[in-house]
Amino acid sequence: MVARRAATAALPLLLLVQGSASSDDPRAIARAALRAVEGDSATRVAGRWLDRLTHDPGDRAAALGLATIARLTYRYDAAMQRYRALVAADSLHPDRYAIYAWLGEGAALTARGMFKPADSASLRALSAARAAHDTIAEAEALLGLAVVRSRLQSAAAGLAAADSALRLIPPADTVLRIAYEVRRAALLAQGARPEAREAGARCAALARQAGERRLEASCLQSMAVDAERRGAIDSAIAILDRVATLQRDTRNHALLASALQWQGYLLSTVGQYGRARVALREAIASGERSDNQGAIAWAALSLATIANLVQDRAAAVAYVGRSTAAFRAAGDVWGQMAARELEVGLAIDAGELARARTLVGEQLAWARRLAQPQAAVAAHRQAAAIAERSRDWGSAARELDLARRTALQHGMAGVANDLAYDSGRLALRRGDLARAERELTAYLRTLAPQQHIFRYRARARLAATYAARGALDQAERELAAAGDELDAWRASLSDRELRVAAFQTQDDEDPDLGVPATLATLVAGARAPAAFALAERRRARELMDHLIQARALRATADVADPHALARAAGLSFAPGEPPRDVAHALPDDHTALLEYLTGTLGAPTTLFAITRAGVRAWTLPPADSLADAVERFTALLEQRDAPRALARSLGARVLDSAVAALGPAITHLVIVPDGPLQRLPFDALQLADGRYAVERFTIGIAPSAAVAVELWRRDGARDRARATRPARVLAFGDPVFGTERAGATAAFADDPGSGALAMASLRGSTVVAGESFRRLVASGREAELVARYGTASVVRVREGASESYLKHAPLDSFRVIHFATHAIVDDRSVARTALALAPGDGETGFVSPGDLAALHLDADLVVLSACRTAGGVLVTG
């Protein structure tokens, strides 16, 4: 993938020599067009040439100038029409204008990634230049061929063409010599040659001295390729910043798109996903402006990958569709295969198994036709996952066997070893425990000690195998040791490494790795305390990852230390250290903590109840069987219905067992929900005695027991430390919405997964994602009322209730922060969920979950007083 990404960074368009040629010399005409575009005078210069052509339709110099400006401003159809007219006018005896028309046509096709027709156009230019004894044009044609041949054949073939051009370049032709140096540096970097770095630096210095900024950008880009090859990713990213600046300054949108899509990809490899998304979106915008379908395709695929990492399925599907369309437009079958693999995974996740089978069939046909064994193995593995999801064990086993045989036939022993994990997982799910243990143990032996993620998932599956076999001691030891090994590794990581690790998926087929079923088995075997400790460590790891992800998705490079973040949230455990003693941390004898653990694919739900007397646990129905009822119950409550029967049914299924055991002394519940239970309003459930839960208990929600313990600890310390601190309140209300100013409709940006809302001037009522965007006059009064409960409070209304103020105010001076406004909540996409404040100062007014997570707060209470602020995307696990 990296090699293909770097290769999409196309080399410069047609670059012409300086010299004392007359103003109607084709080289001078083309260069004048280039300077006009770079200097933002293209319209004026094109107007002069158009006037000339109006007076003399046979003015070939003016026609060439207009064609070149059209090409450099990405009006390719107009450019090609004029180029072909120049050639057709003198097809039997092509003059120098026809030669430069072919050169221009080749440059246009190269810029669009259409390399085969570009090769033909360059060859025609080369043949005509040789027939005319025009060695300069011949050199330029060879330099064009160098780019094309490097893509169609190899870097060595490209270098051979470039070296042939060098012999034809006069020493005085500075620009053409630099153009050769550009080609050579890029091709050396593409071929991973050690002299690439020096060649790029020399080339950049020459271009800078000559004032050739487009050429300098291309030289620097070759240095970025070399830096990435050497593993200096930070250097490559920094160099590409300079490349992008030069390309913007010279209005070179085609190469700007290529540079930015590659930079976005590199940023994603080091966990800077927020910055990556900014670069990739600009790459798409520049690619659309210049019709650079290759850059659009790869940028969209990178954005789809990032969206999939954070389980933003809606955005991932939209981006992968966009990527596939662009690859198809560019004629890039290899790219289509890369996009298709992700598309299949998304279809499987969505349960669209019939569609997934069709896509896998097409993928497998491509792989066979193009003789790509790696792609064939990947297709067979995905086919096995589809069959496994359908519980068609026989078909799954056959597909894995085909994948293994294909891998071994083509010398891919490592891939064949990896398939042992898939086979072990399949054997576990179909109940063949002996084979599951054998395959997983064999797979573990093939893993290097540093392959920590893979080792953890294999050991978690092995623990599930022991549990299913009834070997509870082995199951507990294996799962505990696997977690300790993983936590020890994570504790040793740098901030950057931990950000990358936080986004690594555990298992595409089942992200829970069978852990909920293993823990349920331990509970059934009277090992509730041990199971709770393992559940808490797992939850701490997942919450830490979610916090890291929220920070890493910000567009700024300033990302907090993940280890400090975990310590501050009470989520940091030393390997082997048991979770905090929740029973002794409870604030009183009247409080109990209820923690739920759910899973996927029919795994049972476990309920842990912790009081000062210790830990008890019960096995409840699977989350799969609860999800529909929870969704229906919540929807009815939002419609102000009173679904008593459903309230009682859910209460019996998720609360009765614990309530009966807790006794009358417990009056306060702290609930740690999981999976679909995070949507469940526990207060509204009906208990066995006919009362609603809210009539029997005061109820609070916490993300984990560890976080609850940390908050209880802090509450005591803060109560003492803040006894004399003013209770300052910051209250936002009645914002001026961007749509209110324009009388427009707020809509999400056309860019799927943009992470923000765009204000589009559309007619009609103001609606976003089904929510009314009328002015909230009463929310201003609410903010003023809330502020009266504090001292030295600050009320921000209308224009003052802005996103800009929120991001720049000293928030750590407030003990209470209150938002009374609209919320936009999309249960499918994190990127389409936000609080609405006033726009301005470069901010849209829409505050995303990532923006909220990045705020520096020291508040005792943050209130989100808006519709559905307890909603949003449920992240698996």
Side-chain angles (χ1 to χ4, degrees), residues 523-704:
V523 165
R527 297 168 182 260
F532 175 70
L534 290 169
E536 263 298 289
R537 292 189 68 88
R538 173 178 178 266
R539 191 181 295 268
R541 196 180 302 123
E542 290 167 350
L543 285 171
M544 181 178 175
D545 284 348
H546 296 335
L547 288 171
I548 295 168
Q549 288 172 8
R551 298 276 179 142
L553 286 170
R554 285 182 55 77
T556 60
D558 179 21
V559 181
D561 174 0
H563 296 289
L565 203 64
R567 288 191 297 272
L571 300 173
S572 183
F573 299 105
E577 172 191 349
R580 290 160 179 76
D581 188 342
V582 180
H584 287 87
L586 291 167
D588 53 54
D589 292 327
H590 306 293
T591 299
L593 184 139
L594 303 184
E595 180 165 316
Y596 294 85
L597 174 67
T598 67
T600 58
L601 303 177
T605 299
T606 300
L607 168 58
F608 298 97
I610 298 91
T611 64
R612 285 192 168 177
V615 180
R616 297 185 63 181
W618 298 267
T619 299
L620 306 181
D624 299 348
S625 69
L626 297 170
D628 289 344
V630 170
E631 184 177 353
R632 189 165 66 256
F633 182 58
T634 304
L636 289 170
L637 289 177
E638 288 177 349
Q639 295 168 16
R640 301 186 179 183
D641 203 342
R644 296 182 67 89
L646 197 51
R648 178 67 201 111
S649 172
L650 284 168
R653 296 163 80 182
V654 304
L655 275 181
D656 274 8
S657 52
V659 169
L662 291 174
I666 299 299
T667 58
H668 179 56
L669 298 180
V670 176
I671 295 177
V672 179
D674 194 19
L677 299 182
Q678 295 184 58
R679 297 261 195 258
L680 182 61
F682 284 87
D683 313 65
L685 299 182
Q686 194 172 31
L687 305 177
D689 62 6
R691 287 182 294 175
Y692 288 102
V694 71
E695 296 177 287
R696 168 77 170 80
F697 304 102
T698 59
I699 296 177
I701 303 293
S704 77

Side-chain angles (χ1 to χ4, degrees), residues 79-96:
M80 298 299 270
Q81 185 177 357
R82 290 193 181 278
Y83 282 140
R84 286 168 185 171
L86 282 166
V87 171
D90 196 10
S91 58
L92 294 179
H93 305 286
D95 61 6
R96 296 173 68 237

Side-chain angles (χ1 to χ4, degrees), residues 739 744-748 757-759 765-773 822-825 832 836 846:
T739 50
T745 297
F748 283 101
L757 299 170
M759 295 301 162
S765 60
T766 304
V767 176
V768 176
E771 301 285 351
S772 172
F773 244 49
H822 283 301
I824 302 95
V825 179
R832 297 170 185 264
F846 293 92

Side-chain angles (χ1 to χ4, degrees), residues 842-856:
E843 303 289 356
T844 64
F846 293 92
V847 186
S848 71
D851 293 329
L852 290 172
L855 297 176
H856 298 287

Side-chain angles (χ1 to χ4, degrees), residues 113-203:
M114 301 166 71
F115 297 110
K116 286 186 177 179
D119 185 77
S120 297
S122 297
L123 283 173
R124 286 196 295 269
L126 179 64
S127 176
R130 285 173 174 167
H133 305 292
D134 187 340
T135 56
I136 299 298
E138 183 181 351
E140 293 196 45
L142 286 166
L143 290 178
L145 280 171
V147 179
V148 175
R149 295 291 166 85
S150 71
R151 297 302 305 273
L152 295 177
Q153 298 177 22
S154 65
L159 275 172
D163 288 341
S164 296
L166 176 63
R167 292 191 289 270
L168 302 171
I169 299 174
D173 271 332
T174 305
V175 174
L176 197 55
R177 178 57 185 255
I178 298 171
Y180 160 75
E181 295 289 349
V182 168
R183 296 325 195 256
R184 181 173 180 273
L187 293 167
L188 289 172
Q190 182 182 333
R193 297 272 288 273
E195 61 267 39
R197 186 179 185 181
E198 182 183 345
R202 181 176 64 252
C203 170

Side-chain angles (χ1 to χ4, degrees), residues 249-470:
D249 289 347
T250 58
R251 298 166 181 80
N252 195 348
H253 296 287
L255 294 193
L256 174 61
S258 293
L260 287 171
Q261 75 80 20
W262 183 31
Q263 186 187 49
Y265 169 73
L266 293 180
L267 284 163
S268 71
T269 67
V270 294
Q272 294 190 43
Y273 295 100
R275 285 186 66 197
R277 293 198 300 190
V278 170
L280 293 166
R281 288 171 190 146
E282 187 182 352
I284 288 177
S286 294
E288 288 175 338
R289 185 170 181 177
S290 60
D291 196 29
N292 187 339
Q293 294 296 326
I296 293 171
W298 286 112
L301 184 56
S302 289
L303 284 165
T305 302
I306 294 172
N308 190 46
L309 284 173
V310 295
Q311 300 186 34
D312 187 350
R313 306 303 189 207
V317 167
Y319 275 128
V320 80
R322 194 168 192 173
S323 174
T324 298
F327 279 130
R328 191 179 298 118
D332 187 343
V333 176
W334 311 102
Q336 288 183 67
M337 290 174 67
R340 178 56 53 83
E341 189 171 341
L342 177 56
E343 192 175 5
V344 172
L346 291 168
I348 295 173
D349 288 343
E352 300 171 355
L353 301 186
R355 178 170 175 268
R357 288 190 193 95
T358 299
L359 295 174
V360 164
E362 294 174 2
Q363 185 84 335
L364 194 56
W366 271 345
R368 288 169 177 162
R369 186 171 68 252
L370 298 173
Q372 289 294 303
Q374 286 182 318
V377 169
H380 283 304
R381 291 183 79 171
Q382 288 188 310
I386 295 168
E388 189 173 340
R389 187 67 63 92
S390 305
R391 303 182 69 82
D392 183 354
W393 311 129
S395 294
R398 284 192 295 274
E399 292 291 346
L400 290 179
D401 185 57
L402 286 169
R404 182 180 287 106
R405 281 193 285 170
T406 303
L408 292 174
Q409 285 170 5
H410 293 87
M412 295 184 287
V415 175
N417 290 336
D418 290 344
L419 287 163
Y421 173 79
D422 295 8
S423 296
R425 183 188 63 206
L426 175 62
L428 174 60
R429 291 200 63 198
R430 68 191 301 182
D432 187 348
L433 302 182
R435 178 167 185 176
E437 182 177 354
R438 186 169 63 251
E439 294 276 15
L440 291 167
T441 302
Y443 173 67
L444 272 167
R445 285 198 296 267
T446 69
L447 294 177
Q450 64 269 26
Q451 292 179 279
H452 300 282
I453 295 290
F454 298 101
R455 288 182 59 81
Y456 174 74
R457 71 178 192 174
R459 297 188 73 179
R461 296 286 186 191
L462 197 54
T465 304
Y466 294 145
R469 207 177 62 196

